[in-house]
Amino acid sequence: MLHRLKFPAHFTQLVMQCVRSTTFTLSLNGSNFGYFKGQRGLRQGDPMSPLLFTICIEYLTRLIKFATDRWPFQYHPLCKNLKLTHLMFADNLLLFCKGKPQSIWLLRRAFSSFSKASGLAMNNAKSEIFFNGVDEDIKEGIKMVTGFREGTMPFRYLGVPIKAGRLTKTECSALTEKMVARIRGLGANKLSYAGRVTLINAVLNTLQNYWAQMFIIPKSIINSIMAIYRLWIKWVSDVYIKDHDWHCYTPPTDATWVWKNICKVKEKLKTGYVDGSWTVSPKGYSIRSGYDWLSPDHIHLDWPAIVWSNWNIPKHSMTTWLRMQEGMNVKSKLASADDLCLLCQLQTETVEHMFTTCVYAVKVQSCLVQWYGGSFPTVNDLIAAQRDSIQWKVKVAMFNAFTYSIWYQRNNARVNDCLMRPEFVAARIEEDVRRRIKLKCGNVADQLVCGWLQSMGVN
């Protein structure tokens, strides 16, 4: 495909060298150990994989176009104007056509040619066919030719139930269970046992508000989502809006639940426009200004940049997020008979005490200050400081690592009745932060910054 699409020969050789020389390493506790050679080229998750997959699937797209352009193919009635025949995401493929044996045979023929060339075969056991307005005798003939069983709505695509109407609680139960299982897995891997329930509850309670901050989406996936979004806009315009004035448009009674709700939001946003101009912001409409206008009472937070800095180790960020959300089940919240701090056994265990005034935490901070210099940063210090400097990012990484380590030691004391000496905890924090700095810094041109980093043992 690279050759047929006229990529330069040297570039093609470089790409294929990456494919054929794939090796893997094991990452344990932040360190890499050994490697072994991959036998099947690039795997899912490799940065190059989505791009190369798209190039290979271009062959299937061209085969389908060739078949539908040169023979009596009939499009699905709602896809005819766009000449839409298929949608794909990863190894999930949706094919659309009118319920006629000839059209289905053409799609099957195109995919068969693709399978012979690529080695990617269709799994009949996992494939289904959906009909609407097709006579029973034609249905039976199509199912016999394709070997597919007839599916029922809603069907699942990428684990999400798909149907025109609003999803019920029962229909979403399987997806919800998978999400909870995934979150439990994250809790098991990232936090000590005593902190898992807290993590799960906090994530479930605030997932909707903070999903954009919690997950970093690769650019290739964003590009794919935007391409699908643009296609969806064309489809909606062709099927629903047509030649109507969008400003005055009203959805038909048989429109989907999703489309009707989008139109409801449109009606709300209309009131923010005067003579075609967005009155909320002098710079014109933006997603943020629209959100602020629709949700005037939502709380603006100053600390997300501290928690979700990409200089932090993810498990450290998760723990600091719990701290900021007051989601840690400390003894003062549990109304325990024994409410003394598990780290110092001197005062009531609260979040504020555990991370600021506890003698154990203060000792860890003093050890870190000897390595780092200056004073140990507070949340207010980090909020007020200039956020684009390397010094600020290092302080944030240390703050998050400190929060994680103190919470880990507290839970270790509760579950295993074991507590590490503050000096050793500080040494581990230093090592984690130093490793993260080396990973993120790259080549630093500023000599003063270089000298400062070297003084901390980062070369």
Side-chain angles (χ1 to χ4, degrees), residues 192-310:
S192 60
Y193 176 81
R196 292 177 200 168
V197 174
T198 302
L199 170 64
I200 293 166
N201 291 337
V203 170
L204 289 176
N205 289 338
T206 59
L207 185 60
Q208 182 176 1
N209 294 331
Y210 291 94
W211 71 271
Q213 298 172 349
M214 289 173 59
F215 301 105
I216 300 173
I217 304 176
K219 187 176 181 180
S220 59
I221 295 180
I222 293 176
N223 292 338
S224 299
I225 293 172
M226 292 307 297
I228 295 172
Y229 178 63
R230 286 190 289 269
L231 176 62
W232 180 80
I233 291 176
K234 292 180 180 179
W235 186 86
V236 164
S237 298
D238 182 70
V239 174
Y240 284 133
I241 301 176
K242 299 179 181 178
D243 297 326
H244 294 95
D245 179 1
W246 172 237
H247 190 79
C248 304
Y249 172 82
T250 301
T253 56
D254 61 348
T256 65
W257 172 81
V258 173
W259 180 242
K260 288 179 179 178
N261 277 274
I262 289 175
C263 292
K264 287 181 181 179
V265 174
K266 182 261 297 185
E267 292 299 320
K268 292 180 180 179
L269 288 173
K270 275 172 52 175
T271 59
Y273 281 88
V274 175
D275 296 329
S277 298
W278 180 243
T279 60
V280 179
S281 171
K283 296 182 179 179
Y285 180 81
S286 66
I287 293 177
R288 180 167 185 172
S289 66
Y291 178 81
D292 290 343
W293 183 68
L294 290 172
S295 308
D297 298 327
H298 75 276
I299 300 174
H300 291 275
L301 302 174
D302 296 321
W303 50 258
I306 299 172
V307 176
W308 306 117
S309 167
N310 61 8

Side-chain angles (χ1 to χ4, degrees), residues 2 16 29 34 39 68 85 98 104 107 123 166 175-176 181 259 344 378 381-382 432 441 443:
L2 291 171
M16 295 311 299
N29 298 324
Q39 299 299 315
T68 56
T85 55
K98 195 166 185 178
I104 293 174
L107 291 178
N123 188 334
R166 184 174 184 174
L175 179 61
T176 305
W259 180 242
C344 67
T378 65
D381 293 337
L382 295 174
D432 283 345
C441 250
N443 297 320

